[in-house]
Amino acid sequence: MENLKNAHKCARKDKTYYKEVKMVDSNTDLYLGKIQKMLIENKYFVSEYKVSTINDKGKNRTLMKLPYFPDRIIQWAILLQIEETFLATLCDHTCASLPGRGIKKASTLTTKYMKDEEGCKYCLKIDVTHFYQNINHNILKKMLRKKLKDKQLLELLDSIIDSVNGDVGIPIGSYLSQYFANFYLSYFDHWLKEEKRIRYVVRYMDDVIIFGNSKSDLHKLKNDIDAYLYENLKLTVKKNWQVFPTNVRGIDFVGFRHFFGYKLLRKSTCKNFKKRMILIKRKGEKGTRLSYSEWCSANSYMGWLKWCDSYRLSEKYLKPIQPYLFKYFINEVNKTRKVKHD
């Protein structure tokens, strides 16, 4: 029960307005007791997914979302027990959807490796074709059995994996999926490091960059990667893979363009940033009140610029709108104080 309470506490973060969260909060012992009984008696069945489609940078992605009660609480409860097992299997260069290993970690590693200009003379850049949709259920289950021995837990994980029709694919949007996906490529990471002796590699989910001092060696490695991924994981590399000189155009990776000695914002992100800040500036100059979305957008871009060489961008586009952002913040604070006082 203590684990379920911790799971509910983690799962409800930033979701306290959800109807299901309010329902569980209204009588925590009752609803978590129901989940506990389901799990003890092996009567838990994965609920029906709520399917939606979003456009992510020009790509249509299908999201599959489970109800908060009981599914997301159960997935959190599982993860609280096995997260350390997953993390212990992953290499240090594995990033994305992991505690302390997000965009910043991937970018920092790339910058660190590029201090060795000779060793990073060329770059092999690859990503996996429809990665989530092509994860093989049987292979994933066998991999889990290498690390986990509890029969009841494995049956529970199997039911979650098989909740998607067919023998391949895990749902984008399900909480455990991001750990399953990283774990699925974990032995590939070890193969690169331990068998192929690759010194400089960063993986951000299924996007991989590998540095080397020989173009021919990287082409040969690409062929070996093709064979490994297909034979062991039934995966293929997208046809847009590249081997190129690092100093010619830098490394466009995780939102930044990495060069030897400096780092810039990705061109498309920079273009959108300029447009957004100009609109905010014009709105502020007219005396029109900023929207919450615009305030959040400006702060989000500040976060991006913080981690790259962006002095001129900040001076030209962020500095002029600071008074309008501050005015919005003060107005919101005063509004909140008034509501509390009333």
Side-chain angles (χ1 to χ4, degrees), residues 64-82:
M64 300 176 70
K65 192 176 181 181
L66 286 168
Y68 181 83
F69 176 87
D71 302 88
R72 275 190 269 176
I73 295 175
I74 287 175
Q75 290 203 11
W76 259 102
I78 293 169
L79 189 65
L80 286 173
Q81 296 303 308
I82 66 173

Side-chain angles (χ1 to χ4, degrees), residues 5 15 17 28 57 64 76 89 113 125 144 167 178 214-215 217 220 232 241 245 305-306 311 314 326 339:
K5 287 180 179 179
K15 299 178 181 67
Y17 58 91
T28 305
K57 298 174 184 176
M64 300 176 70
W76 259 102
T89 309
Y113 293 157
K125 190 176 183 184
L144 288 170
D167 297 324
Q178 58 200 29
S214 167
K215 185 183 282 190
D217 287 347
K220 184 179 182 302
N232 293 279
W241 65 274
L305 294 180
K306 180 181 178 182
Y311 176 78
S314 297
F326 184 71
V339 168

Side-chain angles (χ1 to χ4, degrees), residues 89-100:
T89 309
L90 302 175
C91 292
D92 290 340
H93 67 264
T94 304
C95 302
S97 305
L98 298 167

Side-chain angles (χ1 to χ4, degrees), residues 18-165:
Y18 281 25
K19 287 183 180 179
E20 287 179 297
V21 175
K22 291 178 180 178
M23 178 188 76
V24 178
D25 283 343
S26 68
N27 195 333
T28 305
D29 290 338
L30 171 66
Y31 288 105
L32 296 185
K34 288 182 179 181
I35 292 177
Q36 186 184 46
K37 187 177 179 182
M38 284 183 210
L39 295 173
I40 290 172
E41 297 178 359
N42 293 321
K43 291 183 178 179
Y44 166 68
F45 300 98
V46 180
S47 304
E48 186 176 343
Y49 286 94
K50 181 181 178 181
V51 181
S52 60
T53 303
I54 63 166
N55 187 280
D56 180 22
K57 298 174 184 176
K59 299 177 183 177
N60 287 328
R61 298 190 187 276
T62 301
L63 299 183
M64 300 176 70
K65 192 176 181 181
L66 286 168
Y68 181 83
F69 176 87
D71 302 88
R72 275 190 269 176
I73 295 175
I74 287 175
Q75 290 203 11
W76 259 102
I78 293 169
L79 189 65
L80 286 173
Q81 296 303 308
I82 66 173
E83 184 179 36
E84 289 303 317
T85 302
F86 278 138
L87 294 178
T89 309
L90 302 175
C91 292
D92 290 340
H93 67 264
T94 304
C95 302
S97 305
L98 298 167
R101 299 201 210 177
I103 287 173
K104 180 175 176 288
K105 167 78 172 181
S107 179
T108 300
L109 274 177
T110 305
T111 301
K112 177 184 175 183
Y113 293 157
M114 290 180 70
K115 289 179 181 179
D116 180 3
E117 293 191 26
E118 184 60 32
C120 297
K121 193 174 180 180
Y122 296 98
C123 177
L124 166 62
K125 190 176 183 184
I126 63 171
D127 62 283
V128 176
T129 304
H130 300 304
F131 177 46
Y132 273 75
Q133 298 92 319
N134 285 317
I135 290 178
N136 186 284
H137 291 187
N138 290 330
I139 294 174
L140 177 57
K141 290 175 187 176
K142 287 177 182 177
M143 292 175 68
L144 288 170
R145 279 158 175 76
K146 289 181 180 180
K147 292 293 178 181
L148 304 170
K149 302 303 176 185
D150 186 285
K151 185 179 178 182
Q152 191 174 7
L153 171 61
L154 288 168
E155 288 176 354
L156 182 57
L157 292 173
D158 287 351
S159 69
I160 294 170
I161 294 168
D162 291 333
S163 63
V164 177
N165 293 331

Side-chain angles (χ1 to χ4, degrees), residues 270-294:
C270 188
K271 188 176 180 180
N272 292 332
F273 159 72
K274 290 177 181 179
K275 284 183 180 178
R276 190 74 166 164
M277 297 308 104
I278 288 171
L279 288 174
I280 291 174
K281 183 183 176 184
R282 287 174 181 170
K283 201 170 181 180
E285 288 172 343
K286 290 179 181 177
T288 308
R289 185 176 179 275
L290 300 184
S291 67
Y292 176 68
S293 173
E294 288 166 333

